[in-house]
Amino acid sequence: MKFEELINGKLWAVRADDDNCHELEILLDHWNDVVWLRNFFINNQDDLNAFYHVSIEDAIWDTIEDSDKIESMLLELGESDDLDTLFRPLNNNETAESLLQKDKARLKDRPVHSSWLRVYAIRLSTGAYIITGGAIKLTFKMEEREHTRNELNKIEKVRNFLLNEHIIDDDSFIEYIAEI
């Protein structure tokens, strides 16, 4: 497992050992690919209709628009910007911070319907995150669909990797990165 720094010491993304792109690049590529999106929404049309009541064409354009906003939101952050305002615990009922907490980022205040795009990350410490993936979440629980279950598995795999390497915060993560 490899990690690519996106914002100096604050934001990282997982890169699979055999992949040329990190997880955020993969997400943004999918979320801006009309053919990929059309196939996704056709395959998940029942969920789209059940929760959002929009056409596949509107879903495609809403996704591309939201993707652009998320990309700007994440990649235009400066070193002094607070990532903790973007990421929230993955479990909505979680109120206390936990070791290598699983988090999500999504757009707020979207007109017409809420955004279904999610970026998933591990919180190393205050203001420091590792992006593990993301999804188009059209159901209430992630466990309900294979593509979101896969994201749960990825975030858990990254968390376990970090724990196995004795990484518990941003300092131990930076030490790990310096050693490899």
Side-chain angles (χ1 to χ4, degrees):
M1 186 172 301
K2 298 176 184 174
F3 302 94
E4 186 166 323
E5 189 173 26
L6 304 178
I7 299 174
N8 189 22
K10 293 175 66 168
L11 186 62
W12 300 76
V14 172
R15 178 190 300 268
D17 291 332
D18 59 345
D19 209 334
N20 292 330
C21 299
H22 58 69
E23 287 294 328
L24 185 58
E25 288 174 311
I26 293 167
L27 281 179
L28 296 174
D29 284 348
H30 286 170
W31 293 348
N32 285 287
D33 181 336
V34 173
V35 173
W36 188 93
L37 289 170
R38 182 173 308 285
N39 289 332
F40 177 86
F41 287 118
I42 288 170
N43 291 332
N44 294 279
Q45 189 166 12
D46 290 343
D47 293 335
L48 182 65
N49 293 337
F51 290 97
Y52 293 96
H53 311 290
V54 298
S55 70
I56 288 176
E57 289 73 24
D58 286 342
I60 290 168
W61 297 118
D62 289 351
T63 301
I64 291 171
E65 181 181 313
D66 286 0
S67 174
D68 289 343
K69 290 177 185 175
I70 286 176
E71 182 175 16
S72 296
M73 180 176 73
L74 289 172
L75 298 181
E76 292 178 5
L77 288 169
E79 289 182 33
S80 62
D81 290 322
D82 186 6
L83 287 174
D84 293 327
T85 62
L86 300 177
F87 288 95
R88 294 286 179 244
L90 185 59
N91 180 342
N92 291 331
N93 297 322
E94 196 171 315
T95 56
E97 292 179 3
S98 61
L99 178 70
L100 300 179
Q101 180 173 290
K102 300 172 192 174
D103 282 13
K104 65 185 172 216
R106 67 184 185 103
L107 292 176
K108 301 207 182 344
D109 302 324
R110 191 192 187 291
V112 182
H113 61 79
S114 60
S115 179
W116 43 66
L117 299 185
R118 302 290 186 274
V119 176
Y120 301 115
I122 298 284
R123 183 181 182 272
L124 292 168
S125 61
T126 301
Y129 294 84
I130 300 171
I131 294 173
T132 63
I136 298 173
K137 184 175 177 277
L138 299 175
T139 57
F140 183 67
K141 293 187 175 194
M142 292 178 71
E143 295 85 356
E144 294 179 57
R145 296 296 175 263
E146 182 180 357
H147 69 279
T148 47
R149 269 194 314 270
N150 289 341
E151 293 304 317
L152 285 173
N153 292 336
K154 282 174 25 183
I155 199 169
E156 188 63 28
K157 180 180 175 183
V158 173
R159 187 174 188 277
N160 288 336
F161 174 86
L162 296 172
L163 289 171
N164 288 337
E165 294 294 328
H166 307 289
I167 298 168
I168 59 168
D169 58 16
D170 59 332
D171 290 334
S172 54
F173 180 73
I174 298 298
E175 287 175 22
Y176 170 81
I177 295 296
E179 291 175 7
I180 57 172

